[in-house]
Structure formats: structure tokens, C-alpha cells
Amino acid sequence: MKNLLLEYYGIEVNSLYKKNGKVYFRYKKNIFVLDQVHNKEDEYRILNSYYGYLYDTIIINRKGQAITKIAENKYILLKKNKHKNETDIYETVRKNLNDLNEYKKNPKLNWTILWEEKIDYYENLFKYLDNYKVIGESAPYYIGMAETAISYIRYNFIEQDEKMVLSHKRMDRDDYYNPVNIIVDYRTRDVAEMLKLSFYKNEYKKSKIINIVQKVNFSRNEYILLYGRLLFPSFYFDICDQIIINQKNEEELSMIIRKSTEYEKFLNEIYIIINSKIKIPKINWV
């Protein structure tokens, strides 16, 4: 990677470190990250950048290109936003809900179909993971939870022209301003993922959650989407990916599993908060 940075960007560094599949380094008092571009959709959004000053800065390479191609791989170099740590992520998510744009709904944007494909993928994958005891023992519960989320949205959500905003593939403080992490989606995506983050990072405060959930101007349809997305165990599947792909320790998954009962109580609290504002269907086991 050092040779790549020197050849394509004219940047010479002494040390690099890796985190979640990305390469980080310090240069001239700034933090940079070398991220991989995995698909055409990411590439399109980067090349047609609609990101404001808050987002990490895309560094153009010596060829005048935003994306550096090496063999079959594509990379993007970003200078991290210095002010991201000064921003309250909860307030940022709330403000972004009103930052509507002109993006039309992608006909492929159907959570239930995408989730079904993900479940099929994991069910097939888990059959061959004899060496991953924690995954093997916990998978049935979380696959069942995912199937509940799919049924909840499928039978309660009414297809309409819902509002779309710039959202995030995953709610990660390190990647919140990373253009590769941006996606156009329903307004409920970031709120749901931020609520999950607050729970698993032990930052859950009922007063703050009440403030967020009750003050967002969601329709009944959107609250159904919000609750359905909270039901879908994205954190579990994300850590499974990290364990299988990046050889992370299964102990990280154990933390999620140990909090399963507590998360069910969390879901019930969220339901009560939503239901005090607008009536939505209940899940019997929560």
C-alpha cells in the first residue's frame, strides 16, 4: 500500500494501520483512509459526487482521477473530516431527515427482497462453517428475527412515494462522512441504524430516544418501516461478515448474543414510544 500511495498520489508514509478492511495513515497533521470501491453503484456516486463540505474529501490521484484502478481492484483515497468528532451524530441524523433531494426511488430498493436474499446467502453459508461454534449456535435465532422483520414490513407497509434522503449503508462514526458509505434510501434507515448503534455502544438514554422517535415527522408507514428495520439484526450479520472475511474473533459476536434479551426489551420500549404517537402493529414475542 505504501508503494501505491507513493506512485499514484505522491504521498510517502512510514506507517499504516488497518481497521475494518480499510488502510489508515497520518500525513501533514491529517488522517487519511484508503478505501476500496466494491461496485458500480459506489463508483457512480463517487464520480458524480453530491457530497457537501461535511464529507471526507476525495483526493484526486496523479492521473486526475477520483478512483485509482490497480489490476481488478479500485480504490479511493479520502482525507478525513476534522470536525466529525465535534458533531453530535444524533443531531446530524435528525437534521438530515429534512434534507430532501430529487432522487427518485430505485426500483431495486425493496428491503424485504434484499433481506430475503441476505438470509438465503447466510443460511447456505452457515452450513459450511463448522469451525465457527458461536455462529452455528446463534444463527437460527437471528435468522428467525430477520424473517420476522420481513413479514412485519411485508404485511403492514403500504407501498407509497416515500421521501428519500442521503443515508448510510451502516451507522459507523468512523465512516459517517465517507462517500463510499452513502446511499439514497428511506428516511427511516439512518434513524433505525443510529438507534441500534446507541444500544450496542451502551449509549442508550430513554429521554434521548423519546426525543428522537417522537419528534421526527414520520408517517404511520414510515414508523412501520422504522420498527421493521429495528427488528432486522443487521449488527449480527455485519459482525459475522467481519469474522468470516477479516478473521475477527467470535467473541465480538458473543457480546451481541449476550444482549439479545435486553434488545428485545429495547424493541418493546421503542414500540411503546412509537405507539404513544401513532398506532402500529405489535410483534407478539417482543
Side-chain angles (χ1 to χ4, degrees):
M1 287 301 177
K2 291 181 180 179
N3 292 336
L4 182 157
L5 291 169
L6 184 60
E7 179 180 353
Y8 287 90
Y9 296 94
I11 295 176
E12 187 172 2
V13 295
N14 295 320
S15 62
L16 306 166
Y17 65 95
K18 292 185 178 181
K19 182 179 179 182
N20 296 331
K22 304 177 182 63
V23 176
Y24 290 81
F25 63 91
R26 287 185 176 273
Y27 181 72
K28 293 184 177 181
K29 298 183 178 180
N30 291 295
I31 297 176
F32 291 79
V33 58
L34 189 67
D35 199 357
Q36 195 162 353
V37 181
H38 294 284
N39 54 56
K40 289 289 186 181
E41 184 180 354
D42 286 342
E43 186 175 355
Y44 175 83
R45 288 199 303 272
I46 291 165
L47 295 177
N48 296 274
S49 181
Y50 42 58
Y51 312 113
Y53 71 95
L54 280 177
Y55 290 92
D56 299 335
T57 303
I58 299 172
I59 305 300
I60 304 301
N61 64 26
R62 284 177 158 178
K63 295 182 179 181
Q65 299 168 334
I67 295 175
T68 298
K69 300 177 183 179
I70 301 177
E72 299 299 319
N73 298 320
K74 297 178 181 179
Y75 300 91
I76 180 172
L77 181 62
L78 303 166
K79 182 172 73 173
K80 300 299 289 181
N81 176 1
K82 284 185 177 181
H83 305 292
K84 74 180 183 68
N85 292 325
E86 301 171 11
T87 304
D88 184 331
I89 192 169
Y90 299 96
E91 184 64 17
T92 302
V93 169
R94 189 188 64 78
K95 287 181 178 178
N96 191 46
L97 298 178
N98 298 317
D99 185 21
L100 302 181
N101 49 59
E102 297 178 358
Y103 297 105
K104 301 299 183 184
K105 180 178 177 180
N106 185 338
K108 296 180 181 179
L109 182 58
N110 186 313
W111 288 352
T112 56
I113 292 176
L114 294 174
W115 288 348
E116 283 176 338
E117 292 173 351
K118 183 181 282 280
I119 290 173
D120 289 343
Y121 164 77
Y122 282 114
E123 283 184 324
N124 290 326
L125 179 65
F126 291 161
K127 293 176 184 176
Y128 305 99
L129 298 179
D130 296 334
N131 295 330
Y132 296 93
K133 183 179 178 181
V134 177
I135 293 178
E137 292 177 350
S138 60
Y141 170 84
Y142 288 96
I143 287 176
M145 196 172 182
E147 289 173 341
T148 299
I150 290 171
S151 297
Y152 186 81
I153 290 179
R154 174 168 290 148
Y155 293 112
N156 296 297
F157 176 68
I158 301 172
E159 189 68 33
Q160 296 173 343
D161 291 330
E162 302 297 339
K163 296 175 182 178
M164 311 286 282
V165 297
L166 291 184
S167 305
H168 298 77
K169 293 179 182 177
R170 285 295 176 261
M171 190 56 57
D172 186 325
R173 283 184 173 84
D174 289 338
D175 268 351
Y176 190 83
Y177 297 109
N178 183 343
V180 180
N181 191 35
I182 301 300
I183 189 171
V184 176
D185 205 334
Y186 296 123
R187 298 193 300 169
T188 51
R189 183 186 187 113
D190 273 10
V191 177
E193 295 306 314
M194 182 266 293
L195 290 171
K196 292 178 190 177
L197 178 70
S198 72
F199 175 83
Y200 287 114
K201 295 292 184 182
N202 296 314
E203 298 170 355
Y204 167 57
K205 292 182 180 179
K206 188 170 183 178
S207 58
K208 179 172 281 190
I209 302 304
I210 290 173
N211 185 55
I212 292 168
V213 174
Q214 288 192 336
K215 287 192 175 181
V216 291
N217 188 26
F218 281 170
S219 65
R220 181 179 183 275
N221 228 19
E222 287 177 308
Y223 276 118
I224 287 171
L225 281 178
L226 173 63
Y227 198 62
R229 191 165 187 97
L230 286 169
L231 284 164
F232 191 83
S234 54
F235 267 77
Y236 175 84
F237 292 124
D238 287 349
I239 294 178
C240 284
D241 286 341
Q242 291 295 322
I243 291 169
I244 297 165
I245 298 170
N246 296 325
Q247 299 301 303
K248 276 198 172 184
N249 194 300
E250 277 193 287
E251 179 56 30
E252 291 198 32
L253 197 62
S254 297
M255 183 275 290
I256 299 290
I257 296 167
R258 285 194 295 269
K259 297 187 74 170
S260 60
T261 300
E262 190 179 345
Y263 190 72
E264 289 180 17
K265 293 178 181 177
F266 175 75
L267 285 172
N268 189 55
E269 284 191 20
I270 297 292
Y271 171 81
I272 292 171
I273 294 169
I274 293 174
N275 215 48
S276 68
K277 183 175 181 179
I278 192 166
K279 302 300 181 185
I280 63 171
K282 193 177 190 312
I283 300 295
N284 292 330
W285 56 263
V286 175

